Amino acid sequence: MGRENMKILVDADACPVTRIVENIAKAHGLECILLCDTNHVIHSDYSQVKIIGAGADAVDFALLNLCQRGDIVVTQDYGVAAMILGKGAAGIHQSGKWYTDQNIDQLLMERHLARKARMGKGKHHLKGPAKRTEEDDERFAESLERLIGKMMV
């Protein structure tokens, strides 16, 4: 896959690494598309912003429709990650963890078991993630840079 065709798609609803992705995409001259719903309207001087109508999975479906082989997708959603892998795209979590054919089944199973455990206790939500640190951002940026390098080979 050459860089002339690769784009980076971001599930940008409440995504803490959007600006980092944009800066890296710009540095590499890559197209970047930010997808958000009407509850998380964002603006960008570099990226194309697609505001998708409200709906439980509207942004996910729009992202999947735009995604092509060789693209990079930034998402927290393991289900979306599994589907983009099936399309031949690469996926990365905001933590910097890459989604791969080797780890996606385990991630989906862990998500399923955690949801089952919450439902058994009558809880629908877990406590939110820990506050994001500068080290988290650096780890993500380094991982995205490595992923871009891998995809350009």
Side-chain angles (χ1 to χ4, degrees):
M1 177 82 202
R3 86 188 222 163
E4 66 278 351
N5 297 326
M6 182 193 313
K7 62 187 173 294
I8 301 177
L9 301 157
V10 181
D11 183 352
D13 286 341
C15 179
V17 296
T18 302
R19 296 294 171 232
I20 296 169
V21 173
E22 284 188 298
N23 291 338
I24 292 173
K26 190 174 186 177
H28 288 276
L30 297 172
E31 179 181 3
C32 186
I33 302 172
L34 309 177
L35 293 95
C36 62
D37 66 26
T38 54
N39 297 318
H40 297 93
V41 177
I42 53 179
H43 303 280
S44 173
D45 294 330
Y46 180 75
S47 300
Q48 180 182 357
V49 177
K50 291 194 174 280
I51 300 169
I52 311 302
D57 298 315
V59 170
D60 297 344
F61 291 127
L63 188 150
L64 290 165
N65 285 331
L66 288 171
C67 179
Q68 298 176 345
R69 175 174 294 285
D71 288 343
I72 295 175
V73 174
V74 181
T75 184
Q76 299 178 64
D77 188 312
Y78 296 166
V80 169
M83 288 185 273
I84 63 102
L85 288 173
K87 292 183 85 168
I92 184 171
H93 185 274
Q94 67 188 31
S95 67
K97 176 183 273 195
W98 294 0
Y99 299 110
T100 67
D101 291 333
Q102 290 71 41
N103 71 9
I104 195 65
D105 288 340
Q106 180 68 32
L107 293 170
L108 288 168
M109 180 57 75
E110 289 170 6
R111 178 183 75 166
H112 170 73
L113 293 174
R115 181 177 292 150
K116 199 171 174 180
R118 282 193 313 274
M119 295 309 217
K121 295 178 181 176
K123 296 181 180 180
H124 297 282
H125 298 285
L126 292 178
K127 182 178 164 192
K131 184 164 173 45
R132 197 164 177 87
T133 66
E134 193 172 313
E135 291 79 20
D136 293 331
D137 289 346
E138 289 170 7
R139 186 171 34 257
F140 173 81
E142 289 168 8
S143 183
L144 180 58
E145 287 281 2
R146 284 194 321 272
L147 184 56
I148 290 169
K150 177 182 180 240
M151 296 298 287
M152 286 186 177
V153 174

